[in-house]
Amino acid sequence: MISTVQDLAAEALFVSYLQPSECPSRQTVEETVTAMLLRHGSDGCAAGVAAEFGDHPEAAVRRMNWVRSELSVLLAAPRRPHFAS
């Protein structure tokens, strides 16, 4: 089950506008994953990943490596409570 959730988050982050050069915060990554899932759905995110790997495989591999690295760091760190102001 957990790997399925991680895969879904990876696909959502992959199709997002975030770039490695932005060094996004945990909150930004979480909000982005949620936004992409709401916008595209799980099937839409998967389709976006597939299309990018078909059209630009070298760039897609680099992006997915960044996505997986970003998510592994995020999942390894303890989550701090987020309080709305």
Side-chain angles (χ1 to χ4, degrees), residues 6-7 9-10 12 22 25 36-37 39 53 63 72 79 82:
Q6 290 173 354
D7 291 342
E22 295 178 61
S25 68
M36 294 299 99
L37 287 171
R39 180 177 300 151
F53 270 93
R63 181 152 180 86
S72 69
R79 183 158 199 218
H82 176 69

Side-chain angles (χ1 to χ4, degrees), residues 16-35:
S16 77
Y17 57 87
L18 283 182
Q19 297 299 315
S21 60
E22 295 178 61
C23 300
S25 68
R26 178 188 192 114
Q27 182 177 349
T28 299
V29 171
E30 290 174 351
E31 290 171 355
T32 300
V33 165
T34 300

Side-chain angles (χ1 to χ4, degrees), residues 61-82:
V61 167
R62 285 191 303 273
R63 181 152 180 86
M64 187 55 81
N65 285 337
W66 170 73
V67 163
R68 293 286 183 187
S69 174
E70 193 71 24
L71 290 176
S72 69
V73 168
L74 192 114
L75 293 171
R79 183 158 199 218
R80 295 184 187 148
H82 176 69

